[in-house]
Amino acid sequence: GDSVTQMEGPVTLSEEAFLTINCTYTATGYPSLFWYVQYPGEGLQLLLKATKADDKGSNKGFEATYRKETTSFHLEKGSVQVSDSAVYFCALLDYGGSQGNLIFGKGTKLSVKP
Amino acid sequence: GAGVSQTPSNKVTEKGKYVELRCDPISGHTALYWYRQSLGQGPEFLIYFQGTGAADDSGLPNDRFFAVRPEGSVSTLKIQRTERGDSAVYLCASSFDRDTEAFFGQGTRLTVV
């Protein structure tokens, strides 16, 4: 079945460092891909998305490119801030597969130190 | 309301008891989803409603779990004969329709002792 694998955390960075969180997926159809973020004490929020191969999603300085050839959707940010400390979830939505609902990775906790 | 509201925010219950978790979606959203998030894991799909009907309940782990949405708005997730393994955060999300962004509530943390 469909699945999402993302890098294990926690990830600890200094402010202004470069961030990469790896995400790869397995899908039977043609999925849309998402990054969700969960700030401390808050609910899951959509950070960015891409609906087809080679699309780039971007928001709040974060970006991720849908790479069909490597089945990846890595999250990047050039200069992280303390306020980016949160748990990040990669997810897919595969209408062509057996499930038409979001399938999430396990999450990666990011801590940014001043 | 302004967002998806879930009540209670925390629930502690004894093994074997019955619990109900409530989700109040964003007004006008026809699609509603329940997910379960265990410690250190990502959310796992339980059930999806389109209007009043359960369009996909393939994620419900067993027949102790049941959910309703009688008027196409508020939904209740019901768990019978709770077990310690049911302890998790139960998340609800809603969207205008299936193809649009889903907005999540803050979840109900269920602890079975």
Side-chain angles (χ1 to χ4, degrees), chain B residues 10-78:
Chain B
N10 281 283
K11 175 71 176 178
V12 180
T13 191
E14 292 181 348
K15 179 175 177 295
K17 298 290 189 183
Y18 167 84
V19 296
E20 290 189 351
L21 312 179
R22 176 187 168 108
C23 173
D24 202 337
I26 294 172
S27 178
H29 281 192
T30 62
L32 185 145
Y33 308 81
W34 283 99
Y35 285 80
R36 178 168 70 174
Q37 186 175 13
S38 301
L39 192 64
Q41 303 294 316
E44 294 178 305
F45 169 73
L46 295 176
I47 187 169
Y48 155 58
F49 287 90
Q50 183 60 49
T52 60
D56 183 353
D57 64 358
S58 61
L60 294 177
N62 52 59
D63 61 6
R64 295 187 297 107
F65 288 74
F66 189 70
V68 296
R69 195 185 184 198
E71 298 179 356
S73 178
V74 171
S75 176
T76 305
L77 178 65
K78 308 180 181 192

Side-chain angles (χ1 to χ4, degrees), chain A residues 41 89 95 100-102 105-106, chain B residues 35 37 42 45 56 98-99 106:
Chain A
F89 293 91
Y95 288 113
N101 303 292
L102 285 167
K106 292 185 176 182
Chain B
Y35 285 80
Q37 186 175 13
F45 169 73
D56 183 353
R98 187 174 184 171
D99 295 326
Q106 294 195 22

